[in-house]
Amino acid sequence: MGVRPPSSGDDEETDSIEFGIAAVDAHLSDSDLSFPATKDDVRAEIGHENVPYDVHGNDVPLSEMLAEVPTEQFDSRQELLNALHQPFEEYRRNNSNGVVAQFRSLLPF
């Protein structure tokens, strides 16, 4: 996932803020991990990385998210990202304790 930060009014191109599996994908791009890979391979290569799980930059160790994935081997990068999607979503829902986040969770849209 990723979201563009608010515009500052200038015409410069802004970078998007990567969080969740988009941030994991960025870490994978910078790593030497090849697929197929086991959960232990992923943990050894990038498990120590803290990955933002929301737009506010709150983060969680990737090893903690991997612990929530039942799959032990990933045949492709996409398979790993797909397996991590639900744990990141649940973590974000359970750990976004801001007043605005709580208010938004009450709205039907």
Side-chain angles (χ1 to χ4, degrees), residues 6-105:
S7 175
S8 61
D10 57 14
D11 291 335
E12 289 183 27
E13 184 68 26
T14 57
D15 294 329
S16 62
I17 299 169
E18 293 178 328
F19 61 95
I21 61 172
V24 173
D25 195 34
H27 286 295
L28 286 170
S29 295
D30 295 337
S31 76
D32 293 328
L33 188 65
S34 61
F35 291 90
T38 65
K39 191 186 290 190
D40 289 338
D41 295 336
V42 176
R43 194 176 290 118
E45 185 68 29
I46 60 173
H48 62 283
E49 299 287 349
N50 284 335
V51 179
Y53 62 85
D54 65 13
V55 296
H56 305 293
N58 296 311
D59 59 27
V60 60
L62 181 57
S63 59
E64 191 172 325
M65 295 292 89
L66 281 169
E68 299 299 316
V69 174
T71 307
E72 290 297 322
Q73 180 165 326
F74 310 98
D75 292 330
S76 69
R77 179 185 191 136
Q78 191 61 52
E79 188 177 319
L80 170 62
L81 295 174
N82 290 345
L84 286 167
H85 178 74
Q86 190 62 36
F88 268 105
E89 281 299 303
E90 288 178 18
Y91 193 89
R92 182 188 56 78
R93 270 194 303 265
N94 294 333
N95 292 286
S96 295
N97 296 335
V99 173
V100 174
Q102 290 177 1
F103 181 70
R104 283 184 181 160
S105 70

